[in-house]
Amino acid sequence: MSECLQRIWRFGDSINTDDILPGKYAPFMVGETEFQRYAFAHLRPEFAADVRPGDILVGGRNWGLGSSREYAPQALKKLGIGAIIAKSFARIHYRNLLNLGIPAFEAPELVELLQDGDNVRYEWAEGIVHRGAESFSLPKPPLFLHEVLAEGSVLAYYKKYKKFPGEGRLS
Amino acid sequence: MTYDLKGLTLAERILSVRSGRRVKAGDLVVVPVDQVMVVDSIAPSVIRLLKEELAGEIRYPERVSFVIDHVAPAANVEVATTQKQVREFAREHQINLFDVGRGICHQVLIEERLAQPGWVVVGSDSHSTIYGAVGAFGTGMGATDIALAVASGRTWFRVPETVRILFKGSRPAGVTAKDIALEVVRVLTADGATYASIEYHGTETFSLSERMTLANLAVEAGAKVGLVPTVGEALGAYEVPDWLAVDEASYETTVEIDLSGLRPSLSVPFFVDNVHPVENHLGVPVDQVFVGTCTNGRLDDLRAVAAILEGRRVAERTRLLIIPASSTVLEQAVADGTVATLLAAGAVFGTPGCGPCMGRHMGVLAPGEVCVSTSNRNFMGRMGSPEAKIFLASPEVAAASALAGAIALPETPSFGGDR
């Protein structure tokens, strides 16, 4: 097959921010250019070397619990992760993903169907994951998030409009 | 006030008053931020975002505090260099700066009265739920959210649903605020309060320190905020606005916890909600005991440890590391003899700050080591090696374990004086 496929990396429940990037490998400790090499260093040491841009992470319940460290998802962004699909997300981490513009989907049924090592084709705008002849729809984000993702991130939205999504319209 | 607050939870009340209209769970609001707290490990990212993405905008520098606590003093040249930059930026922009040794961000902000009842406080640290101890809507955020709050003086929230915790009965001797806080996390589980506000009722007699321990661990159940009603003597020194009153509100759920049934507990590796009675793990050999952090590094915590260790020695196989939560705590513990008692028992002291809690310096763990810690997370690799084990406990259980060299319960049930 000539077209470029993306790999599924499947993880379990309760993947915490110390799993995603251990505190001792914070950019603050090892430097801004190095830290992404330690993504999942304890849990899955081969990950950072083997992952390819566009690959998709799949997780169970409460993905990203723990610390507010944005450098954990920042490491995933630097590695080019295309999306994270989980049964549910922890709150601070979900906001961080949104702020960095990493598409995050809460899709419990899909999590059950995707296996580690699956090769898929996926585009965020299309909202569909293709695996061979099969295709799976991703849930549509709420309006607020859609406004944000359309501009790229909350930061990009604020820079452009000097206000937060919905601000003014809300009150 | 032209809008009605009747029937609203504490979180809804604060966000209603701050946004100037009646809001309910599920609404989106943009509110002014009364205080933005930034720790040393995140400040470099925030400064970069402010400079490169936000045209250097800092709406209210007097509402911003930088705290150098997560690796303080600096452990290597990389850290020292970034902390230098953080200090220079703070001075240049008249941002509050609390430097090496002043203490842990949350402890310092509360001591400095930079969190007040009814305020909105956001921090670049997940345990910012602790500000709920003084009735502030406190929550943790990542670098981009924090940078936007610094630049604009505002932030956005989805108004959270509220889980009401209702404590009943009286606690048995030996059961501390830490055991109660861990019980809440056990009952709710690690994602049981995701996106929600936890309100802790039946806490009128809780001290400020105990309220801080409770609210601190709210995030370990996934909560956005952990609010302790501003009722009771502990808030005597604060000005509590009339509108921050407890009402017959619409709670999503109410969970009753009978304190009389609790026992001293441990959070067992590798998850905070994996809570079990200490009895189940008695005798597990312990290499290090760590007393400190924003959860349990205050004067009452140090005194409780000293009461157990007085006139005795820490077991030969065990290191007892004590890191007071702030310089104020350290000064008070020196003044009242607590530090002398602990030193005589064989304790080692570190500079007030976060210490080894997140595994960066001052007491990280080797493969195979076991630590009993008064901190808030026992994730795999949290304090160093992924092959080390962290048991979270109260200061009293930590002290008893240091004496025994193994996980242990305090001998006398009536320890800890006025706790």
Side-chain angles (χ1 to χ4, degrees):
Chain A
M1 200 179 283
S2 63
E3 67 185 313
C4 190
L5 293 175
Q6 295 135 349
R7 189 196 149 153
I8 299 291
W9 295 80
R10 202 171 192 284
F11 295 85
D13 288 335
S14 307
I15 296 300
N16 65 62
T17 50
D18 280 270
D19 294 327
I20 299 169
L21 196 80
K24 59 177 175 279
Y25 302 126
F28 178 61
M29 299 294 285
V30 301
E32 287 286 344
T33 56
E34 291 287 307
F35 71 99
Q36 71 280 5
R37 292 173 44 193
Y38 300 97
F40 295 105
H42 292 159
L43 201 62
R44 220 163 160 176
E46 80 285 7
F47 175 83
D50 292 353
V51 71
R52 293 286 168 266
D55 282 0
I56 295 172
L57 309 187
V58 171
R61 271 177 64 165
N62 210 16
W63 176 282
L65 78 152
S67 162
S68 61
R69 58 183 70 152
E70 191 179 74
Y71 54 79
Q74 184 80 48
L76 301 181
K77 190 179 167 93
K78 288 184 89 164
L79 293 168
I81 295 305
I84 303 176
I85 303 169
K87 289 184 183 171
S88 63
F89 289 90
R91 184 193 76 81
I92 303 174
H93 190 75
Y94 186 77
R95 260 184 102 118
N96 287 341
L97 292 171
L98 184 66
N99 283 331
L100 294 174
I102 300 175
F105 299 97
E106 216 167 84
E109 304 82 14
L110 189 50
V111 167
E112 297 295 348
L113 296 170
L114 296 170
Q115 298 304 320
D116 193 64
D118 278 357
N119 287 309
V120 301
R121 204 158 41 78
Y122 148 85
E123 271 177 55
W124 129 250
E126 190 193 21
I128 296 174
V129 176
H130 301 273
R131 180 177 64 187
E134 299 170 289
S135 60
F136 311 103
S137 292
L138 291 162
K140 282 198 169 43
L143 176 66
F144 176 83
L145 303 194
H146 205 89
E147 283 184 344
V148 169
L149 287 173
E151 294 297 340
S153 67
V154 176
L155 183 68
Y157 190 99
Y158 181 83
K159 279 171 73 176
K160 186 164 169 183
Y161 299 106
K162 286 287 162 203
K163 59 175 191 158
F164 290 91
E167 192 172 16
R169 192 180 69 218
L170 292 171
S171 44
Chain B
M1 223 177 272
T2 56
Y3 48 92
D4 185 9
L5 295 176
K6 204 167 160 44
L8 296 188
T9 64
L10 292 175
E12 289 168 337
R13 279 168 182 263
I14 295 171
L15 295 181
S16 290
V17 169
R18 287 292 181 238
S19 62
R21 65 194 171 101
R22 180 184 167 94
V23 297
K24 295 274 287 172
D27 292 345
L28 287 174
V29 296
V30 176
V31 291
V33 173
D34 298 289
Q35 188 67 210
V36 188
M37 187 282 292
V38 193
V39 303
D40 51 350
S41 51
I42 304 299
S45 304
V46 172
I47 291 170
R48 184 185 57 74
L49 287 162
L50 288 169
K51 283 182 176 170
E52 293 175 13
E53 303 284 348
L54 293 160
E57 185 188 5
I58 301 179
R59 188 79 178 81
Y60 305 108
E62 70 278 14
R63 297 183 195 171
V64 181
S65 294
F66 283 2
V67 189
I68 296 184
D69 62 347
H70 273 54
V71 184
N76 61 32
V77 175
E78 191 82 41
V79 170
T81 307
T82 56
Q83 289 183 345
K84 179 167 178 261
Q85 180 205 0
V86 169
R87 284 185 194 104
E88 287 167 358
F89 188 88
R91 289 186 186 123
E92 185 186 338
H93 296 278
Q94 285 86 50
I95 288 167
N96 301 315
L97 174 70
F98 300 101
D99 213 326
V100 173
R102 178 62 187 87
I104 304 168
C105 54
H106 308 306
Q107 182 69 22
V108 172
L109 254 70
I110 287 182
E111 286 178 1
E112 298 280 343
R113 298 303 179 94
L114 293 173
Q116 296 272 348
W119 282 21
V120 172
V121 181
V122 298
S124 71
D125 181 276
S126 58
H127 292 102
S128 300
T129 52
I130 194 171
Y131 304 115
V134 296
F137 189 97
T139 195
M141 291 178 163
T144 302
D145 273 321
I146 290 295
L148 282 164
V150 172
S152 70
R154 311 191 295 284
T155 193
W156 67 273
F157 289 118
R158 179 183 171 281
V159 181
E161 284 79 19
T162 292
V163 175
R164 180 172 66 151
I165 300 290
L166 185 54
F167 296 128
K168 299 216 150 164
S170 54
R171 45 173 132 151
V175 170
T176 69
K178 179 64 162 287
D179 300 302
I180 297 168
L182 290 179
E183 176 68 5
V184 172
V185 177
R186 184 189 74 80
V187 170
L188 294 178
T189 75
D191 63 355
T194 298
Y195 298 98
S197 164
I198 300 177
E199 271 185 34
Y200 299 93
H201 292 256
T203 47
E204 292 78 4
T205 62
F206 281 50
S207 71
L208 179 58
S209 176
E210 291 175 327
R211 290 169 193 235
M212 288 167 77
T213 303
L214 271 186
N216 181 266
L217 286 171
V219 71
E220 303 307 330
K224 179 183 282 191
V225 289
L227 284 155
V228 185
T230 48
V231 181
E233 271 181 44
L235 270 288
Y238 287 86
E239 211 167 293
V240 180
D242 293 340
W243 52 261
L244 196 62
V246 175
D247 195 2
E248 278 307 308
S250 44
Y251 299 105
E252 193 183 49
T253 45
T254 292
V255 178
E256 286 192 13
I257 294 178
D258 180 8
L259 298 183
S260 66
L262 298 189
R263 283 184 288 171
S265 299
L266 291 170
S267 182
V268 175
F270 292 110
F271 292 98
V272 183
D273 61 352
N274 189 22
V275 179
H276 300 275
V278 174
E279 285 95 329
N280 293 11
H281 296 271
L282 290 174
V284 173
V286 173
D287 302 286
Q288 176 169 298
V289 170
F290 171 40
V291 176
T293 79
C294 49
T295 314
N296 280 118
R298 283 174 281 280
L299 186 62
D300 58 332
D301 300 313
L302 270 53
R303 282 180 176 166
V305 174
I308 291 170
L309 296 189
E310 185 152 27
R312 306 170 80 176
R313 282 295 288 186
V314 169
E316 202 181 341
R317 66 155 291 140
T318 306
R319 315 180 288 275
L320 171 59
L321 173 62
I322 299 183
I323 301 188
S326 74
S327 57
T328 305
V329 170
L330 178 56
E331 283 166 24
Q332 290 170 341
V334 167
D336 73 2
T338 300
V339 167
T341 302
L342 294 169
L343 288 173
V348 174
F349 275 76
T351 308
C354 303
C357 177
M358 73 295 296
R360 289 178 178 143
H361 71 157
M362 290 210 292
V364 300
L365 302 173
E369 286 197 319
V370 170
C371 180
V372 172
S373 172
T374 66
S375 61
N376 44 51
R377 288 202 177 117
N378 58 354
F379 298 158
M380 188 177 75
R382 169 80 178 177
M383 284 177 68
S385 168
E387 290 146 54
K389 286 185 175 157
I390 306 161
F391 291 84
L392 306 179
S394 67
E396 286 83 346
V397 169
S401 303
L403 272 184
I407 290 175
L409 281 165
E411 286 166 14
T412 50
S414 57
F415 53 79
D418 56 359
R419 282 163 71 89

